[in-house]
Amino acid sequence: MGSPAGRPPGSPADGARRPLEDVRIVAVEQYGAGPWGSLHLADLGAEVIKIEDPAAGGDVGRYVPPYAEGEDSLFFEVFNRNKRSLSLDLSTAAGRAVFDELVCVSDVVYSNLRGDVPAKIGITYDALKHLNPRIVCCSLSGFGMTGPRIAEPGYDYVLQGLLGWMDATGEPDGPPTKSGLSLVDYSAGFVAAIAVLAGVHAARRDGVGMDCDVSLFDTALALLNYPAAWHLNAGYTPHRTRRSSHPSLVPFQLFEAADAWIVVGCPKEKFWQRLTGVVGHPEWAADARFATFADRERNRTELLSLLEPLFATRTAAEWLDDLYAAGVPCGPVNTIPEALADPHTEARGMLVETDHPRYGRLRLPATAARVGDLPRPTRRAPRRNEDFGHVMADVAGFSDARIAELIRAGAFGPPDDTPGLPSLPGLPKFPGLPGLAGLPEPSGAAAEIDDDAGGKEPA
């Protein structure tokens, strides 16, 4: 049996430790939502061992276009920085034996599969607690591990439609509209990371692990937040608003200046009073039609008919200069390239660099969590099975002879098709996958692993 979580990739050389360096996570993950959640844990120092199915060529995210070549893609890089990779065939007895050894020396088994799959392949707490009573089993699925939709695959785009997000987004006279980013995926990844942290804390305190059941469905529904509360308790029906305006705070929306769009908001009364001065009408602050939140919401159409022509008379830069000076919440509507080039992006260190054997020097968005003052680790995403030696010897504690036996039994996939495996004398070209003496048969069908949920659509 191997050791507790050790020094992860990119650890500081001076012995300082990142917050999660004593946490080891075995991640049966793929695509977007699951890897997004574990990325944040890896960036905070956790050792994340990514289990990649050799039959599928590893995580499907390796092949997402347009910037993909071979088993490398920019999509995969941005979701899998600072992780380790192990090719492991859980459909074989040998592969399952390796997985079980990793469970014994880990804190978390993390997955993003269809909701019914963790039980089928035996990666729930009940299936693993005999190996490690403190193991935390976090499932991030499309619809959760219970309920009538348990067996449905779930993707961000589908959930944005199903949970009312698209109906509430876009112009009133336009079609339902998806968010420009995969916010259900990303939010569910954050929720999964929170669940993992809470689970590990409780397991270390109480000595007993648990299941964490996280889903895209639950996440998207929870994020309906106050419009849902308004509907459930006051009969409010959410609706689309012009120019992405706030449903009740006026003004808080897009305004078209002479040359570009800007966002201006008055979420407090003091901001409305300041705005009236900026637009040259301080008398509006005391106008009975616009004096309070309720007044402005009730007279929204009349107020916007006054403001919108005014904003069209000057450039965006001219308005923003005056609005910033007055302390009114505002900002430009930037393109993504403009956002990445914003001086504040550099000042906050929100771009990290890694060296990649195919792409050379890469620049990627950093994760947003800042805990302590250690520099961020910046190891590129792993090639498939790149960390075989470390995981087998240093983590699982297998001898060379045992590793050779596992290779011959097909634990890691066919040797000719699996990178990173050592050459073994007399190793058959295609092992017969006989299973090792004394090992149990794997639980569940390997085909289920390919039924992912909590994934990110490529486009």
Side-chain angles (χ1 to χ4, degrees), residues 33-217:
W36 178 249
S38 61
L39 169 69
H40 291 78
L41 303 175
D43 274 5
L44 289 171
E47 183 175 34
V48 178
I49 301 172
K50 189 176 179 73
I51 303 300
E52 300 203 58
D53 180 9
D59 187 335
V60 67
R62 294 184 176 277
Y63 309 100
V64 171
Y67 305 106
E69 186 176 352
E71 293 189 0
D72 297 314
S73 75
L74 293 183
F75 180 97
F76 183 81
E77 288 297 314
V78 80
F79 284 97
N80 292 284
R81 181 177 60 246
N82 293 320
K83 300 180 186 179
R84 300 192 185 275
S85 171
L86 177 69
S87 177
L88 194 62
D89 188 348
L90 295 179
S91 72
T92 67
R96 183 65 195 214
V98 172
F99 181 84
D100 287 352
E101 283 294 327
L102 294 176
V103 171
C104 291
V105 295
S106 297
D107 299 282
V108 180
V109 170
Y110 177 87
S111 65
N112 68 305
L113 306 168
R114 209 177 59 205
D116 59 332
V117 173
K120 289 183 178 181
I121 66 172
I123 61 172
T124 61
Y125 181 69
D126 279 346
L128 299 176
K129 63 185 178 183
H130 68 287
L131 299 170
N132 182 350
R134 300 202 313 178
I135 196 71
V136 174
C137 299
C138 181
S139 165
L140 169 53
S141 63
F143 295 93
M145 300 171 72
T146 60
R149 295 183 182 271
I150 183 175
E152 293 184 24
Y155 288 85
D156 181 287
Y157 211 140
V158 174
L159 271 297
Q160 289 202 32
L162 180 65
L163 272 302
W165 286 32
M166 292 175 65
D167 182 66
T169 306
E171 287 296 310
D173 57 352
T177 303
K178 175 187 173 294
S179 165
L181 300 174
S182 297
L183 294 182
V184 176
D185 272 353
Y186 299 152
S187 299
F190 286 135
V191 173
I194 294 169
V196 164
L197 294 175
V200 170
H201 172 78
R204 291 183 175 181
R205 181 191 63 200
D206 303 333
V208 179
M210 69 208 70
D211 285 306
C212 299
D213 182 2
V214 179
S215 74
L216 300 186
F217 183 93

Side-chain angles (χ1 to χ4, degrees), residues 230-291:
W230 291 348
H231 172 74
L232 292 170
N233 299 285
Y236 171 80
T237 299
H239 58 277
R240 282 178 250 158
T241 56
R242 286 183 67 251
R243 297 188 173 184
S244 299
S245 62
H246 191 279
S248 63
L249 300 179
V250 185
F252 204 149
Q253 66 173 70
L254 289 170
F255 288 99
E256 189 173 13
D259 60 341
W261 293 91
I262 60 175
V263 178
V264 181
C266 296
K268 295 183 178 181
E269 295 291 6
K270 65 180 181 180
F271 297 134
W272 164 243
Q273 293 162 10
R274 294 171 187 175
L275 178 62
T276 61
V278 172
V279 299
H281 287 278
E283 72 276 8
W284 287 351
D287 191 312
R289 297 171 298 169
F290 313 134

Side-chain angles (χ1 to χ4, degrees), residues 89 91-95 404-413 415 427-428 430-442:
D89 188 348
S91 72
T92 67
E405 186 182 14
L406 290 164
I407 292 174
R408 288 190 173 93
F412 314 105
L427 188 68
F430 296 104
L433 310 184
L436 301 180
L439 289 181
E441 289 303 311

